[in-house]
């Protein structure tokens, strides 16, 4: 990697000298017949080697490389004018191999799948292993190259996914999980009207732990984006940067479907841009410098909007900006590297100095980290606490305890508010009182019936008891709440055949009996209550029996469908929660060892 960077540094310096002196290497007197190095080029190399204090032979080879590149570019432009066939340069990254630079010619009106297929054939890999990226976006199979913004001379990156059975199995699993994530988010968004404004199934918090309200129409894209971001971060931690980049770019596409105002109070978007730029760096994809620069500018703007100028909003909220400095350290480092590759060396040097300054503030004593870990904190939490308190061990412990308590209190407050909203309102407009629900439950009444009875009795316990005992059919008729709907992973249960036989012996149709037992989870008394419903079932009266059977069947099917929907939502929620968050704010507590290595490496080049 160092040799590659040194060579890139040489070419950057030579390009700058050529542009400064307006020298065109593809014209006389610098070109020679037969592909040889001309005398004029050698003389130019001697001159530049002296002024740049570089080895003359190295400079000659660098100039010759730039000359050949210029000549090839001229030929490609001429070819495009004559035939419409574009020359594309592709940097292919294969697992465990050095990157390959490839050239491929294609008409721009062909579909993306043809380019992907041609590259796969050239690389001798399966088509589905190739992920092609241009200008920060994955190339789609369906649209044409022109429709996807590709032009003659475009530089693309081809990521070749792993091929060993273990790696393939791992990637297949992740892509299946991506599809599951999308399906789960779609399911939850489809039933958002059933749930209303209750965001139990998706909650986004700002830096203080306060819940950010989300418009229902945008929850799907947000959930998918956050989940894919976390999956991409997990891949990056394992240094599988090719897979990470694919996941992160898809996360970015999803989050771009959300209004910018939704994410203005959190730093998710900014962190995602940093993660994408970091993958570019680790993949040595210098052709993406423009996209990286745009993403870093977006990240900086997002940080300013979230934290305020000079972080004053963040400091007012948390009392410190110590841990968020990890984000700014990476931002300045990446901006410096992009500036370096654009030959803005003074700007790069200034940014590297800022990154180094942040890094000094983020250093913590390893013994203090270990001491906090002995007290039960994770390594990331220990580093977070020490950074926030200037390395003071005792203060760091108390800081972490206070922070944990504040978040728990904020979440408990949100949970209580959500529970209260679930209880609903009475006929007179007052809220159902939780303590009265608990009182009726203490008397042995089902929670669902207690809630509905209190709604109908305007929080009168006596009237609620009378309703439950004397007019239960009115409460059973209500579809306003499904609090008694089973919400277990085991739902739907398989009906007990013996209990089915018992209900059939009572005169109920077998199919209805099985549905009732499934809904009642094999509690026969509750199943009978469901079967009784509004119309009493009288087997001796054929017309009543037929009408009742039909009516009960529809009612049971409706209740069963509601139960299934609720279980599906709860399972989707659990899967999304497991995908979206591991340890809180782990990106703030990173060791920054890799960042420090890159910083030292690039500073040495300056």
């Amino acid at each position: 990697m160092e040799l590659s960077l040194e060579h890139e540094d040489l070419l950057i310096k030579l390009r700058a000298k050529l542009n400064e002196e307006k020298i065109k290497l593809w014209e006389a007197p610098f070109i020679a017949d037969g592909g040889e190095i001309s005398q004029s080029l050698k003389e130019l190399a001697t001159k530049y080697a002296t002024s740049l204090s570089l080895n003359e032979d190295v400079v000659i080879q660098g100039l010759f490389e730039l000359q050949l590149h210029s000549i090839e570019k001229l030929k490609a432009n001429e070819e495009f004018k004559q035939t419409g066939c574009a020359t594309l340069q592709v940097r292919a990254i294969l697992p465990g191999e050095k990157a390959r630079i490839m050239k491929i010619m294609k008409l721009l009106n062909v579909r993306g799948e043809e380019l992907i297929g041609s590259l796969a054939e050239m690389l001798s890999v399966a088509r589905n292993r190739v992920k092609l990226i241009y200008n920060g976006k994955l190339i789609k199979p369906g649209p044409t190259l022109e429709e996807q913004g590709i032009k003659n001379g475009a530089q693309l990156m081809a990521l070749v996914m792993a091929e060993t059975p273990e790696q393939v199995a791992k990637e297949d699993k992740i892509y299946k999980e991506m599809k599951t994530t999308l399906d789960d988010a779609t399911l939850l968004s489809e039933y958002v009207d059933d749930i209303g404004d209750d965001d139990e199934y998706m909650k986004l918090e700002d830096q203080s732990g306060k819940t950010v309200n989300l418009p229902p129409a945008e929850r799907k894209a947000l959930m998918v984006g956050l989940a894919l971001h976390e999956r991409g971060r997990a891949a990056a931690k394992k240094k599988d940067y090719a897979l990470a980049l694919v996941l992160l770019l898809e996360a970015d596409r999803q989050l771009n479907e959300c209004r910018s105002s939704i994410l203005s109070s959190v730093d998710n978007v900014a962190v995602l841009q940093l993660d994408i730029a970091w993958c570019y760096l680790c993949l040595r994809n210098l052709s993406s410098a423009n996209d990286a620069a745009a993403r870093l500018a977006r990240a900086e703007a997002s940080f300013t909007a979230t934290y305020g100028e000079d972080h004053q909003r963040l400091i007012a909220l948390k009392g410190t900006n110590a841990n968020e400095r990890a984000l700014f350290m990476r931002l300045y480092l990446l901006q410096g590297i992009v500036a370096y590759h654009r030959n803005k060396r003074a700007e790069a040097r200034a940014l590297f100095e800022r990154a180094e300054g942040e890094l000094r503030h983020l250093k913590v004593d390893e013994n203090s980290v270990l001491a906090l870990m002995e007290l039960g904190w994770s390594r990331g939490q220990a580093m977070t606490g020490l950074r926030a308190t200037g390395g003071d061990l005792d203060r760091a412990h108390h800081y972490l305890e206070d922070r944990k308590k504040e978040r728990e209190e904020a979440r408990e407050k949100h949970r209580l508010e959500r529970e209260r909203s679930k209880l609903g309102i009475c006929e007179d407009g007052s809220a159902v009182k939780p303590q009265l629900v608990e009182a009726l439950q203490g008397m042995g009444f089902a929670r669902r019936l207690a809630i509905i009875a209190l709604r109908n009795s305007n929080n009168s316990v006596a009237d609620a008891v009378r309703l439950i005992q004397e007019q239960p059919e009115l409460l059973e008729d209500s579809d306003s709440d499904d609090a008694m709907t089973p919400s277990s992973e085991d739902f739907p249960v398989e009906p007990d055949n013996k209990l089915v036989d018992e209900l059939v012996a009572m005169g109920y149709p077998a199919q209805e009996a099985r549905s009732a037992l499934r809904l009642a989870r094999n509690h026969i008394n509750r199943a009978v209550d469901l079967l009784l419903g509004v119309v009493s079932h009288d087997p001796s009266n054929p017309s009543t029996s037929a009408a009742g059977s039909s009516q009960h069947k529809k009612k049971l099917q409706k209740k069963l469908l509601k139960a299934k929907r609720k279980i599906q939502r709860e399972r989707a929620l659990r899967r999304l929660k497991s995908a979206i968050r591991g340890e809180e704010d782990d990106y703030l507590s990173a060791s920054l060892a890799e960042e420090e290595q890159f910083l030292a490496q690039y500073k040495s080049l300056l």
Side-chain angles (χ1 to χ4, degrees), residues 136-138 140 182 221 224-225 228 247-258 272-273 276 295 298:
K137 294 180 181 177
L138 285 168
K140 299 177 182 177
L182 180 60
V224 175
L228 292 177
L247 293 166
L248 294 173
L249 289 175
E250 179 60 19
D252 186 57
R253 189 183 71 80
Q254 292 287 341
L255 289 182
N256 281 337
E257 295 182 11
C258 296
L272 176 58
Q273 306 314 309
I276 291 173
R295 291 184 182 280
R298 184 182 176 191

Side-chain angles (χ1 to χ4, degrees), residues 75-87 108 152:
K75 290 179 180 178
N77 289 338
E78 189 63 30
E79 179 79 20
F80 183 67
K81 287 179 183 177
Q82 294 178 1
T83 67
C85 213
T87 300
L108 296 179
N152 179 47

Side-chain angles (χ1 to χ4, degrees), residues 423-438:
L423 297 178
I425 58 174
C426 301
E427 291 182 351
D428 63 3
S430 61
V432 173
K433 297 180 179 179
Q435 62 269 32
L436 298 183
V437 175
E438 292 176 7

Side-chain angles (χ1 to χ4, degrees), residues 549-599:
S549 177
S550 175
Q551 210 165 351
H552 288 308
K553 186 175 181 179
K554 290 180 181 179
K555 192 170 186 64
L556 282 173
Q557 288 175 339
K558 184 177 180 181
K559 285 179 178 272
L560 189 59
L561 182 59
K562 285 186 71 175
K564 286 181 178 178
R565 286 175 176 174
K566 184 172 182 180
I567 300 306
Q568 288 171 342
R569 290 197 299 268
E570 289 179 351
R571 288 176 177 173
L573 170 62
R574 279 191 287 272
R575 284 191 293 266
L576 284 173
K577 280 184 174 178
S578 68
I580 289 175
R581 173 163 292 185
E583 184 177 322
E584 280 183 338
D585 298 344
D586 64 339
Y587 56 88
L588 299 181
S589 58
S591 69
L592 303 178
E594 288 181 292
E595 286 86 343
E596 190 171 7
Q597 290 174 4
F598 275 117
L599 179 60

Side-chain angles (χ1 to χ4, degrees), residues 381-593:
Q381 290 170 330
M383 295 185 72
T384 297
L386 289 167
R387 286 171 177 170
T389 57
D392 189 303
L393 182 59
D394 291 333
R395 285 178 56 213
H397 178 62
H398 291 302
Y399 169 85
L400 291 171
E401 285 188 325
D402 292 343
R403 190 165 174 262
K404 180 180 178 182
K405 183 180 178 182
E406 287 171 5
R407 284 187 178 268
E408 287 175 348
E409 288 176 350
R411 286 169 182 166
E412 178 63 15
K413 180 180 177 182
H414 174 76
R415 187 190 67 79
L416 292 174
E417 289 174 353
R418 190 174 68 235
E419 288 298 323
R420 279 194 287 268
S421 69
K422 277 184 173 183
L423 297 178
I425 58 174
C426 301
E427 291 182 351
D428 63 3
S430 61
V432 173
K433 297 180 179 179
Q435 62 269 32
L436 298 183
V437 175
E438 292 176 7
L440 287 174
Q441 282 185 275
M443 297 178 192
F445 297 116
R447 179 177 176 82
R448 181 178 69 85
L449 294 178
I451 293 172
I452 301 173
L454 287 169
R455 289 177 185 174
N456 284 276
S457 63
N458 295 323
N459 277 325
S460 169
V461 173
D463 290 343
V465 170
R466 188 166 55 253
L467 272 173
I468 294 172
Q469 292 177 335
E470 298 177 7
Q471 296 177 292
E473 70 278 359
L474 297 179
L475 305 181
E476 289 288 350
D477 250 352
S478 176
D479 287 324
S480 60
D481 188 272
D482 61 351
M484 285 296 288
T485 300
S487 59
S488 163
E489 281 278 18
D490 297 327
F491 181 88
V493 299
E494 184 62 28
D496 188 309
N497 290 329
K498 291 182 179 179
L499 297 180
V500 172
D501 292 340
E502 285 187 41
L503 291 175
V504 170
M506 295 179 194
Y508 297 107
Q511 186 176 354
E512 288 184 32
R514 296 182 70 83
S515 295
L517 285 167
R518 186 177 288 112
L519 187 58
R521 300 185 67 228
N522 280 327
H523 292 285
I524 193 165
N525 290 335
R526 284 169 57 186
V528 170
D529 289 339
L530 288 169
L531 288 165
L532 283 171
V534 180
V535 182
S536 298
H537 184 73
D538 182 4
S540 65
N541 186 333
S543 60
T544 302
S545 177
S549 177
S550 175
Q551 210 165 351
H552 288 308
K553 186 175 181 179
K554 290 180 181 179
K555 192 170 186 64
L556 282 173
Q557 288 175 339
K558 184 177 180 181
K559 285 179 178 272
L560 189 59
L561 182 59
K562 285 186 71 175
K564 286 181 178 178
R565 286 175 176 174
K566 184 172 182 180
I567 300 306
Q568 288 171 342
R569 290 197 299 268
E570 289 179 351
R571 288 176 177 173
L573 170 62
R574 279 191 287 272
R575 284 191 293 266
L576 284 173
K577 280 184 174 178
S578 68
I580 289 175
R581 173 163 292 185
E583 184 177 322
E584 280 183 338
D585 298 344
D586 64 339
Y587 56 88
L588 299 181
S589 58
S591 69
L592 303 178

Side-chain angles (χ1 to χ4, degrees), residues 352-369:
F352 289 151
E353 288 175 0
R354 293 183 73 180
E356 194 169 34
E358 298 296 344
L359 186 61
R360 281 195 296 270
H361 284 285
L362 291 163
K363 290 281 189 181
V364 294
D365 179 62
E366 180 63 19
N367 291 329
S368 297
V369 172

